[in-house]
Amino acid sequence: MRSALAMRFFVLAGACLSQAAPALAQTPMQGLQLRASPMLAEKRSAQSEREAPAFVQGDRLEGQSDVQLVIEGGAQLRQGSTALRAQRLQIDEPTQTVQAAGQVRVARVGHVFSGQELRLRMDSFEGFFLRPQYRFLSGGQGQAQRFDFQGDQRMSAQAASYTTCERDNEESWKPAWQLLADRFDFDFEAESGQATNVRLRFYDLTVLAWPGSVSFPLSTRRKSGFLPPSYGVDTASGLSLAVPYYLDIAPNRDATLTPTVMSKRGVDLGAELRYLERSDQGTLRLNVLPNDRLNGRERWAYGFVHSGRWTTQTSSWGPLSYNLNLNRVSDDDYWRDFPRQSKVLTQRLLPSDVSLAWTQGDVQASFRTLQWQTLQDPQQPIVPPYDRLPQLVLRHTGFWNTALGGVESAFESDFTRFSALRSRTQQTNADRLYVRAQVSRPWVGPAGYITPKVQLHLTQYSFEEVWRGARSAGRGVPTFSLDSGLVFERQASWWGNAFVQTLEPRAFYVYTPYRQQSGLPNYDSAENSFSFATLFAENSFVGNDRIADAHLVTLGLTSRVLRPDSGAELLRLGMAQRVRFADQGVTLDGGPPPVNAERISDLMFGATVNASEQWSLDLISQYNPKRRQSQRLALASRYHPSPYRVLTSAYRLQRPVTTGDSGSEQLDVGWQWPINDLWGDRGQNLGPGRGQGGRRWYSVGRLNYSVTDGRLVDSLLGLEYDGCCWIARAVLQRSYSGVSRANTQIMLQLELVGFSSIGNNPLGTLKNNIPRYQYLRDQVSPPSRFSNYD
C-alpha cells in the first residue's frame, strides 16, 4: 500500500465474509454501547475525506499494486462520503484517478450523478462526466452534455437543464418547467447557481429568455440580487408592478429595496432594513411616493421597530431593556389609499412609542413616551387617545413569611403627563400621579383556596389650566376583596369510557366605598367588557381615572371533564353572575351608571367542547334574565380532520345596549379544503409543508357577512393548484375601509417550487385571514445528505 496520501483499498469478498460469520455469531456482545461517530456528521472535513479508506467490490479484479486496479462487472468504489458504481472501473493509484464506463452512478454528500462515462480524481473530486443526469441534495435536478467537477463545493454544466420536478420512470418524462442554459455554474458553498444565456420554459411555453447571466438559489440561504417581480391590481391604485432588490449586507443584516409602479398614482419607492445584533434587533420600513397623480402631492410612510437589552457583568444592577415602535404617515387618507402596506401603517391610530424598563429582583421601573397620530375620517370621526409625555412607573412585589404565613404585598406608582388637543377631547391636559398599595394573604390547598386582599388607591391631578374651578384635584379609595373557591373531583364513566369530572364553585366578594369622582377628568378609563374575567375583578372600569364603588358578590360554577390518562380537557362548562347589594354611583362622565352595573347582572355562560382532536366548539352567552334573551352571543366551531383540511365558522350577536346603538350581528366562515375530495381523491399524507401530492386543487377563503348591514364586510376567495413542482394561486380580496368605500384586489402567483415565483404573493394574506391555514410547501427541516444515500 502507498502512504497516507494514497488510497488504501479493502477488497470485499463474499466468501471471506461468509466464513467469518459463524465466528462473529458466537462472539458474546456484552457491554455493547452506542457512541457518536464523525462518519455520521452532515459535513465532513476535506482531510477526513482524503484519509478515509477506500473499499472496492466487483465480479473481476485485476491490476498491479500501487499502480493500477481494474474492476469489471458490478464494480463499486466507496471512500468517505463518495460512492461510485459502474460496469467497469479503472483506478490509477499514483494520481488517484478513476475512469468509469457503463451505467455509471456517483453519489456524494447527497448529490447523485448518473451517465455512461466519467473521469474523476478522488482526492480532490475534480473531473468530468459526459451526458449525465444529476440530482442535488436540495431537490434540483437536470441533465447536461458535460458536467465538470471542480472540487467539493463547485461544479459546472454545459448545455444543461435545471428543474425541481421529480423524475418518474417513464422514458418520455418531461418536467413541467425547466431552466435551459448554455452553461450552469453551481456553488454549494454560497448555495447559489448562475446560468448563462437562459430560457425558462413552462411546459411548451417559453416564459423568459435572457442572453446574459442570471443567478438563482440552491437553498433557502439569503443572497443579494433581484427577487421575483410582484404584480397586483386593486381599485385604489390600479395595476402595480414591484421589482424588489435584496441586499445581503451581513449574516445578521439585510435590506430590500422595492420600487413599485402604480398605473393610477406613479412610482412608490420602498425600502426595508433588518438587523439582529447580540442584544438588539429591529426593522425599519420606508415608503415614499414623490408625486401621487390622484392627489397631486407627496405621500410617505415609515415604521421603525427596535428592541434591545443591556446588561453588565460587573454590576449587581439588573438588566435594562428598551423598545421603540415609531409609525407615521403623510396624511389622513393613507390607510385607505394604500391597503397593501403593513398592518401597522394601515390603521387609523398610529403609535410612536419609546420605553425603557429596568428590573432588579422584586422591583420594576419603566419610562415611556407615547404619542399618537390619529387619521380622521369625516364620515367616522374618532376621539384621539391621550399622548403620554412621559409616563414613569415603579412596581414592587414582595412575600412576607410572617406568623400568619405568607403575606403577599404589591406597590405601584404611575406618574403620567397626558396631552391632547382640547378641541377634540373637551377636557384639560394634566399631570397625574397614581399610587396603589396592596396586601393579601392566600391560603391554597388541594381542595380549594381563599384569598383576602386589601387595596388603597391614591390619585393626584395637576391641571394645565383651571378645570371646573380648580388647578388640582385628588382622590383616595380603599378596596377590600375576598376570593374563594373549592374543587371537587369524581370518577365518571360514560359510553364505556372512564373520565374525571370536576365541580368548581367560586365566590368573590368586593367592597369599595363611594367616592365622588364626577369632577375628575378621564384620560384612560373605560367600562370593562362583560366577561368571566371582569366579573371576578375588583374594579368595573379599566384604567386609573375611575375606581367604581362596589358592595357585591360574584358567584360562579365550573365543571370540567378530563381524560384520566393525559389530563386532556374534553368539556368545560361555566356560568357566573354578579349580585350587587347597593347601586353603583361612580360613572365615567357623571351620567347614568353603566349597563352592567345593575343589582343583578346578566348571566354569563360559557362552554368549550373538544370532542376529538378534529372537532372543537366554543360558546359564550350573556343572558339578560329581565328581557329573557341573550344580550351577547358568540358561537365558534372548528373542524380540522387532517392537514390542509380546516373549516371554521363563527356567529356573533351584540344587541343594542343604549339608544342610538344599532348593535351587530355577523356570520364568519373560513376554510382550506382540497377540491379533489369531491370526486373521491383523498390525496396522500406526506407530512407538514409537503402538500398532499400533485395534481390537486384547493379552495381557500373567508367570508364575513354583516346581517345588520346586509352585506359582506370582508371577503377572501381563492384557488390553489399543486402541480408537484409548481403551485398556482389566484386570490380575490375585498374589504371596506369606510362606511361605503371598498377596495378590491386580485392576487395571481405562479410558484416554481424550490426555485422562484412570479406574480403577487398572497400567502401572507391567506395566513393572516384564514385560521389554521397551512402552506402547501414549507421547509420544516434542512435536507440531510443521507436522504440520497447510496
Side-chain angles (χ1 to χ4, degrees):
M1 293 296 121
R2 295 180 64 85
S3 63
L5 297 176
M7 302 171 65
R8 294 170 289 169
F9 292 107
F10 292 81
V11 180
L12 304 181
C16 295
L17 292 177
S18 62
Q19 293 175 4
L24 291 174
Q26 297 172 6
T27 302
M29 302 182 66
Q30 298 177 355
L32 182 64
Q33 296 180 349
L34 296 176
R35 65 177 181 177
S37 170
M39 297 292 292
L40 299 178
E42 284 293 336
K43 293 184 179 181
R44 302 187 62 195
S45 65
Q47 180 179 357
S48 63
E49 287 287 330
R50 289 192 300 267
E51 296 179 353
F55 300 87
V56 296
Q57 180 179 353
D59 297 338
R60 183 171 177 270
L61 288 79
E62 64 178 18
Q64 182 178 355
S65 176
D66 296 340
V67 178
Q68 187 182 71
L69 177 64
V70 178
I71 311 170
E72 296 181 339
Q76 297 184 35
L77 166 62
R78 184 181 298 274
Q79 183 182 23
S81 59
T82 302
L84 196 159
R85 302 171 184 264
Q87 289 299 313
R88 184 180 189 275
L89 293 178
Q90 179 178 322
I91 305 173
D92 184 68
E93 292 192 45
T95 62
Q96 298 190 29
T97 300
V98 179
Q99 298 185 52
Q103 300 180 12
V104 183
R105 178 182 173 91
V106 180
R108 182 178 178 86
V109 293
H111 308 316
V112 179
F113 308 86
S114 59
Q116 294 299 318
E117 186 176 347
L118 167 73
R119 181 182 178 88
L120 182 66
R121 286 197 58 169
M122 295 294 290
D123 58 345
S124 61
F125 204 72
E126 295 177 342
F128 64 87
F129 210 143
L130 297 181
R131 296 177 297 278
Q133 296 178 355
Y134 66 90
R135 177 182 176 85
F136 296 144
L137 176 62
S138 61
Q141 58 182 303
Q143 55 190 12
Q145 287 296 316
R146 176 186 170 108
F147 207 100
D148 290 282
F149 302 99
Q150 302 159 8
D152 280 345
Q153 303 297 327
R154 292 176 176 82
M155 306 172 188
S156 64
Q158 311 291 331
S161 64
Y162 179 85
T163 184
T164 58
C165 297
E166 292 286 343
R167 179 181 296 274
D168 57 30
N169 297 325
E170 298 180 4
E171 291 292 334
S172 60
W173 176 83
K174 190 175 182 180
W177 70 268
Q178 57 181 334
L179 189 68
L180 306 175
D182 293 346
R183 177 185 174 91
F184 283 95
D185 291 288
F186 303 104
D187 187 342
F188 291 97
E189 185 175 6
E191 298 182 7
S192 66
Q194 187 168 353
T196 305
N197 193 15
V198 299
R199 300 169 307 282
L200 177 61
R201 295 185 62 83
F202 184 70
Y203 287 99
D204 295 327
L205 177 65
T206 300
V207 296
L208 176 67
W210 185 255
S213 62
V214 297
S215 61
F216 56 93
L218 295 176
S219 67
T220 57
R221 180 177 176 179
R222 303 178 305 173
K223 180 181 181 298
S224 296
F226 283 101
L227 300 177
S230 175
Y231 308 91
V233 57
D234 60 53
T235 56
S237 301
L239 295 172
S240 64
L241 169 64
V243 185
Y245 185 83
Y246 179 78
L247 289 169
D248 185 13
I249 302 172
N252 60 328
R253 301 185 190 96
D254 64 9
T256 305
L257 307 177
T258 310
T260 303
V261 180
M262 294 174 284
S263 61
K264 291 184 179 182
R265 299 186 181 275
V267 180
D268 177 79
L269 305 177
E272 181 185 64
L273 172 67
R274 301 185 302 177
Y275 55 90
L276 177 62
E277 307 296 337
R278 176 175 298 179
S279 58
D280 294 77
Q281 61 181 350
T283 302
L284 172 65
R285 297 184 179 92
L286 176 66
N287 288 86
V288 178
L289 180 61
N291 182 25
D292 188 345
R293 292 198 297 264
L294 289 181
N295 296 79
R297 57 180 173 177
E298 182 184 47
R299 315 290 295 277
W300 54 265
Y302 71 83
F304 179 44
V305 177
H306 177 91
S307 62
R309 184 181 178 91
W310 180 81
T311 58
T312 176
Q313 298 179 352
T314 60
S315 174
S316 59
W317 285 75
L320 177 69
S321 61
Y322 39 91
N323 296 275
L324 288 85
N325 181 18
L326 309 179
N327 303 277
R328 279 294 183 270
V329 297
S330 57
D331 52 84
D332 287 345
D333 296 324
Y334 196 91
W335 67 287
R336 291 184 295 191
D337 293 342
F338 301 96
R340 283 182 293 175
Q341 291 281 11
S342 66
K343 279 191 172 183
V344 175
L345 296 178
T346 55
Q347 298 174 355
R348 295 182 61 187
L349 292 174
L350 304 181
S352 289
D353 194 354
V354 179
S355 64
L356 297 173
W358 170 79
T359 303
Q360 176 66 37
D362 297 332
V363 180
Q364 298 177 352
S366 65
F367 171 85
R368 180 188 188 192
T369 64
L370 173 61
Q371 192 170 20
W372 297 91
Q373 181 184 11
T374 305
L375 307 185
Q376 294 291 352
D377 183 352
Q379 297 180 351
Q380 291 180 312
I382 57 178
V383 177
Y386 276 87
D387 299 334
R388 301 174 184 236
L389 303 170
Q391 181 182 21
L392 294 90
V393 178
L394 177 66
R395 295 186 178 93
H396 179 273
T397 57
F399 180 85
W400 304 340
N401 190 11
T402 65
L404 296 177
V407 175
E408 298 178 355
S409 66
F411 172 84
E412 176 185 357
S413 64
D414 181 333
F415 173 81
T416 305
R417 171 166 291 177
F418 293 98
S419 177
L421 291 176
R422 185 170 182 179
S423 59
R424 290 281 187 181
T425 61
Q426 301 302 313
Q427 63 181 11
T428 184
N429 299 331
D431 296 342
R432 187 192 69 188
L433 176 62
Y434 169 77
V435 176
R436 177 179 62 87
Q438 170 184 306
V439 177
S440 63
R441 172 50 173 105
W443 282 275
V444 181
Y449 66 93
I450 182 170
T451 305
K453 182 193 299 182
V454 177
Q455 294 178 324
L456 178 62
H457 310 269
L458 301 175
T459 310
Q460 183 67 36
Y461 297 87
S462 178
F463 303 135
E464 189 177 85
E465 55 190 359
V466 176
W467 171 253
R468 297 184 179 179
R471 293 298 298 265
S472 63
R475 175 201 64 192
V477 183
T479 296
F480 170 76
S481 65
L482 181 65
D483 193 6
S484 61
L486 297 173
V487 179
F488 301 97
E489 288 187 2
R490 74 181 185 98
Q491 303 297 321
S493 177
W494 298 303
W495 307 291
N497 296 313
F499 301 97
V500 175
Q501 183 185 14
T502 70
L503 190 64
E504 305 168 35
R506 182 181 181 183
F508 181 69
Y509 173 77
V510 179
Y511 177 74
T512 302
Y514 173 78
R515 294 293 185 268
Q516 175 62 255
Q517 302 172 50
S518 59
L520 301 178
N522 180 19
Y523 299 114
D524 64 358
S525 284
E527 292 184 24
N528 259 327
S529 61
F530 194 81
S531 65
F532 280 102
T534 59
L535 278 173
F536 292 94
E538 286 90 352
N539 191 9
S540 59
F541 297 110
V542 62
N544 298 326
D545 287 313
R546 295 291 184 271
I547 304 297
D549 56 310
H551 186 199
L552 57 86
V553 63
T554 301
L555 301 176
L557 182 64
T558 301
S559 180
R560 295 182 297 157
V561 176
L562 313 173
R563 291 190 183 275
D565 52 349
S566 63
E569 186 176 276
L570 302 178
L571 174 66
R572 174 192 287 262
L573 300 175
M575 58 187 303
Q577 190 172 34
R578 183 169 55 202
V579 179
R580 293 182 179 274
F581 305 115
D583 293 333
Q584 178 178 321
V586 178
T587 61
L588 284 176
D589 52 7
V595 176
N596 60 8
E598 297 181 352
R599 284 293 186 97
I600 299 180
S601 72
D602 292 346
L603 179 65
M604 200 70 189
F605 176 79
T608 298
V609 181
N610 297 306
S612 64
E613 295 182 356
Q614 294 79 28
W615 276 101
S616 69
L617 179 70
D618 290 287
L619 171 66
I620 294 291
S621 176
Q622 178 183 341
Y623 180 77
N624 190 307
K626 292 183 178 180
R627 300 180 181 179
R628 296 185 179 180
Q629 64 179 10
S630 291
Q631 188 67 28
R632 182 167 60 93
L633 178 66
L635 177 63
S637 65
R638 175 182 58 84
Y639 179 53
H640 186 38
S642 63
Y644 307 103
R645 291 182 177 89
V646 60
L647 175 63
T648 62
S649 62
Y651 172 75
R652 291 180 288 270
L653 171 67
Q654 176 67 61
R655 298 189 188 276
V657 177
T658 60
T659 305
D661 183 8
S662 60
S664 65
E665 186 177 5
Q666 290 185 340
L667 294 171
D668 195 323
V669 180
W671 70 90
Q672 179 187 26
W673 206 273
I675 301 178
N676 293 50
D677 287 3
L678 296 175
W679 50 85
D681 180 7
R682 302 288 297 179
Q684 309 171 57
N685 185 10
L686 302 177
R690 300 184 61 186
Q692 294 184 321
R695 300 179 181 179
R696 294 185 61 76
W697 289 90
Y698 297 84
S699 172
V700 293
R702 184 172 183 178
L703 302 175
N704 189 346
Y705 180 77
S706 174
V707 180
T708 306
D709 299 331
R711 68 179 184 184
L712 283 171
V713 179
D714 294 297
S715 56
L716 179 72
L717 295 172
L719 289 174
E720 293 182 292
Y721 179 77
D722 189 344
C724 275
C725 59
W726 63 277
I727 300 174
R729 299 181 179 92
V731 177
L732 172 68
Q733 184 182 25
R734 181 178 176 84
S735 58
Y736 278 85
S737 56
V739 177
S740 59
R741 184 173 178 178
N743 180 65
T744 302
Q745 62 173 322
I746 300 174
M747 291 167 279
L748 304 173
Q749 184 191 46
L750 174 63
E751 177 185 352
L752 306 179
V753 176
F755 180 70
S756 185
S757 60
I758 303 172
N760 193 5
N761 188 354
L763 290 178
T765 302
L766 297 176
K767 192 71 173 178
N768 292 331
N769 287 273
I770 302 175
R772 292 181 177 258
Y773 170 82
Q774 292 179 281
Y775 297 133
L776 296 182
R777 295 293 185 278
D778 190 16
Q779 182 172 302
V780 179
S781 59
S784 169
R785 70 181 178 93
F786 297 101
S787 302
N788 299 326
Y789 188 76
D790 197 354

